[in-house]
Amino acid sequence: MGLSNITIPLLLLSLLMFGVLGNAQLSSDFYSESCPNVTIIARRLIQRASRGDVRLTAKVMRLHFHDCFVNGCDGSVLLDAAPVDGVEGEKEAFQNAGSLDGFEVIDDIKTALENVCPGVVSCADILAIAAEISVSLAGGPSWDVMLGRRDGRTANRGDAVAALPLGPDSMEILTSKFSVHNLDTTDLVALSGAHTFGRVQCGVITNRLHNFTGSNGQSDPSIEPKFLRTLRKKCPQGRSLTARVNLDPTSPDSFDNDYFKNLQNNHGVIESDQILFSSKGAPTVSLVNRFAKSQRKFYKAFAKSMIKMGNVRVLTGNDGEIRRDCRRVN
């Protein structure tokens, strides 16, 4: 159950990338000569930063997800708004504003890499590397990170609002937001398992607790009653919407399969999480049961899905650029 170093064979990775998602020119040894210590440097800085912030690993993992789901894995989520450069800034999108975090450690990694191999490692690749390191440090699986992405030169707030999942999303909407990136139902459930660590703001779940489907005072009936009382105490009606609740009340800072066990007990914090198990007849239910029963199967599926997601609409070759500063275009 404590398996924490599952590696997907390179042959499978090749089939996965070229057979499913196109001909992206990524490889796990992309920086073997140009910047061989990239992973070592990133790991050291994430380990150091996480000592002062137990939530850091979850924050960094979320950055990679929110990057790839908006016009592909191009580092656009890191860009500060700069109208003169045509950059709206995805950080201000509803799903990101005031909650997306972890940018400072990405800046630190970029600075350190520019000192030893300037103009070589993209910010998009830093996000992919940092996500794998963060999951591993939290006790989750490891995988061979495919590298060679280049950075985009723009960001679009409207695209972020449209593409990123929302708490009240229905199963149909969730599925469509994943399928547009060639991510299937298994990917949806496996990647949702990243909610096994981290926090969520009360603003995301307040309607579910106090005003479900617009009925004042009513709550989502799929929430187990005792757990509902706990959540209502943490997020009282009319109080702070920025207070945070653990996504996984069982082991909030560890990457494990408790998230799926929580769903089985109707202890999913976000509506779009619980819906994976509470939707009778949906193909997601059997996947939740499978991952709840076997952490090993969850880890293998999660690693495979992370590789698929990391290959969404990547820029390679001469497309895009290698930013000198992850927050602004060159």
Side-chain angles (χ1 to χ4, degrees):
M1 295 292 288
L3 184 61
S4 61
N5 191 27
I6 296 173
T7 301
I8 304 297
L10 289 178
L11 176 59
L12 175 59
L13 300 186
S14 298
L15 292 173
L16 187 62
M17 289 192 304
F18 296 105
V20 178
L21 295 176
N23 59 349
Q25 302 164 17
L26 304 182
S27 66
S28 60
D29 61 352
F30 188 83
Y31 298 113
S32 60
E33 294 185 5
S34 58
C35 197
N37 292 325
V38 56
T39 301
I40 294 173
I41 292 170
R43 177 176 286 270
R44 183 181 72 244
L45 291 170
I46 292 172
Q47 283 179 316
R48 186 174 71 186
S50 63
R51 293 189 193 108
D53 182 1
V54 71
R55 297 169 49 224
L56 181 77
T57 52
K59 293 176 182 178
V60 171
M61 166 65 217
R62 187 175 179 229
L63 282 176
H64 184 44
F65 182 96
H66 282 229
D67 182 40
C68 292
F69 260 63
V70 184
N71 298 321
C73 310
D74 62 354
S76 59
V77 72
L78 302 173
L79 289 171
D80 290 336
V84 68
D85 294 320
V87 177
E88 294 181 348
E90 295 167 17
K91 296 175 182 178
E92 286 74 35
F94 174 77
Q95 296 93 319
N96 294 336
S99 65
L100 203 63
D101 205 350
F103 298 104
E104 291 77 11
V105 73
I106 302 300
D107 292 337
D108 291 344
I109 294 169
K110 180 60 174 175
T111 298
L113 292 174
E114 286 296 306
N115 286 335
V116 295
C117 38
V120 173
V121 182
S122 69
C123 300
D125 273 350
I126 290 173
L127 286 177
I129 293 167
E132 188 276 337
I133 291 170
S134 294
V135 169
S136 177
L137 288 176
S142 296
W143 58 91
D144 290 322
V145 181
M146 308 306 287
L147 302 168
R149 302 168 190 78
R150 289 172 65 83
D151 297 320
R153 296 191 178 98
T154 188
N156 190 300
R157 186 181 311 149
D159 289 348
V161 172
L164 293 170
L166 287 163
D169 280 349
S170 65
M171 181 69 74
E172 182 180 3
I173 292 174
L174 273 179
T175 301
S176 68
K177 286 183 176 181
F178 276 72
S179 63
V180 74
H181 301 303
N182 291 318
L183 298 171
D184 59 24
T185 303
T186 301
D187 300 316
L188 164 60
V189 178
L191 292 173
S192 294
H195 283 173
T196 187
F197 63 170
R199 316 284 192 271
V200 64
Q201 292 186 349
C202 287
V204 175
I205 62 173
T206 187
N207 283 342
R208 187 182 186 219
L209 303 181
H210 306 289
N211 190 33
F212 190 62
T213 65
S215 301
N216 189 39
Q218 299 300 309
S219 61
D220 182 348
S222 70
I223 309 174
E224 189 272 324
K226 185 177 179 180
F227 187 57
L228 171 61
R229 290 194 294 271
T230 299
L231 290 177
R232 280 182 160 179
K233 286 181 180 178
K234 294 181 179 296
C235 298
Q237 190 169 20
R239 301 289 288 275
S240 173
L241 297 180
T242 58
R244 288 181 169 84
V245 178
N246 292 327
L247 284 167
D248 176 0
T250 308
S251 51
D253 303 315
S254 299
F255 195 99
D256 51 35
N257 68 334
D258 283 349
Y259 163 85
F260 299 104
K261 298 174 185 178
N262 294 335
L263 298 187
Q264 289 178 321
N265 293 321
N266 292 324
H267 286 186
V269 176
I270 301 176
E271 184 181 350
S272 56
D273 284 334
Q274 188 60 52
I275 202 173
L276 300 178
F277 184 73
S278 299
S279 299
K280 292 183 179 180
T284 56
V285 176
S286 61
L287 289 164
V288 170
N289 289 332
R290 181 191 306 173
F291 296 153
K293 183 178 181 180
S294 172
Q295 183 162 279
R296 179 183 177 85
K297 288 181 179 178
F298 166 46
Y299 280 5
K300 291 181 72 173
F302 183 82
K304 182 178 177 180
S305 294
M306 285 295 292
I307 294 162
K308 285 179 66 176
M309 184 188 75
N311 201 50
V312 169
R313 294 179 62 183
V314 296
L315 302 173
T316 59
N318 294 320
D319 293 333
E321 64 184 16
I322 304 298
R323 283 185 221 137
R324 293 184 292 272
D325 180 340
C326 290
R327 292 177 181 262
R328 52 189 56 86
V329 297
N330 292 343

